[in-house]
Amino acid sequence: MYSRYLFIERAQLALLDASVIFAAFPGAAWVRHGQTLFTPSPEGSIKLNAYLFPASLVALVFVLIFRYEGLYSMRFGRFAEAFRLIRGASLGTMVVLAFMFFYRGYSYSRATIVIFYPLALASLIAIRNLYRGYRRYVQQNPAARRRVLIVGFGNIGQHLGRSLLEQPSYYDLR
């Protein structure tokens, strides 16, 4: 049961990160191109459509990099997490720039990436801080806490007890 809640928490963070990155990529394109992003081209398609599929790929790349950076473990403080977010976002942006350099199907503006990087980074840090506040609120709510009794004093029981005491969680060890 404990692992299920950890999985749900990590999945929520990954979904939040992917949503922020997915929104930041077309958002940066809109800042760069303005209203012309929504006007139909001679072929009848809107230029925004060219940014939606790459935005999902960029979100996937960022989530994979953040997972590699250990950002879904919630074991870091705010500053350590922000530093890892900066490092992961920088690496992700470099990967996106490399893909844009070699992809010849559509000419993406590099200015869009210059706008995307600070927009995505600020949004990620803000949403992570909001999530921390939400998590703290839920953990302090007595109705949301679960009482836990560990039966057995073996290695597994000791490890579980230490991890429950060291990291704040939704469980109340009695």
Side-chain angles (χ1 to χ4, degrees):
M1 188 166 212
Y2 179 66
S3 63
R4 182 175 60 138
Y5 286 114
L6 285 177
F7 174 77
I8 289 171
E9 189 171 85
R10 290 176 180 158
Q12 287 173 344
L13 273 173
L15 186 62
L16 277 173
D17 289 345
S19 300
V20 165
I21 296 301
F22 182 81
F25 196 69
W30 179 76
V31 169
R32 165 67 175 95
H33 297 288
Q35 293 297 327
T36 61
L37 193 64
F38 298 107
T39 57
S41 65
E43 303 90 42
S45 64
I46 299 175
K47 292 179 193 172
L48 180 65
N49 292 340
Y51 285 93
L52 293 180
F53 179 69
S56 59
L57 292 179
V58 169
L60 178 66
V61 166
F62 270 68
V63 167
L64 291 175
I65 289 172
F66 288 170
R67 182 166 186 316
Y68 175 76
E69 287 288 330
L71 284 166
Y72 298 122
S73 65
M74 292 298 292
R75 63 179 177 196
F76 302 111
R78 286 179 190 230
F79 294 113
E81 184 180 73
F83 176 73
R84 286 182 179 263
L85 277 171
I86 291 169
R87 192 166 65 184
S90 299
L91 180 61
T93 304
M94 286 189 278
V95 168
V96 169
L97 279 172
F99 282 145
M100 285 176 57
F101 180 75
F102 290 111
Y103 180 70
R104 297 294 177 208
Y106 184 82
S107 181
Y108 294 100
S109 170
R110 286 180 292 280
T112 302
I113 296 300
V114 170
I115 296 167
F116 164 76
Y117 178 71
L119 178 67
L121 196 55
S123 301
L124 282 168
I125 290 172
I127 203 76
R128 285 288 185 122
N129 284 331
L130 287 172
Y131 185 79
R132 279 181 184 274
Y134 162 76
R135 185 174 180 242
R136 191 177 322 109
Y137 172 75
V138 169
Q139 287 176 351
Q140 290 173 353
N141 186 357
R145 297 184 66 77
R146 306 247 191 252
R147 289 186 179 180
V148 175
L149 174 67
I150 300 174
V151 178
F153 200 64
N155 289 337
I156 295 172
Q158 288 178 6
H159 175 71
L160 180 61
R162 272 194 305 273
S163 67
L164 287 175
L165 289 173
E166 288 172 0
Q167 293 181 345
S169 66
Y170 303 103
Y171 297 101
D172 191 13
L173 186 61
R174 298 281 174 166

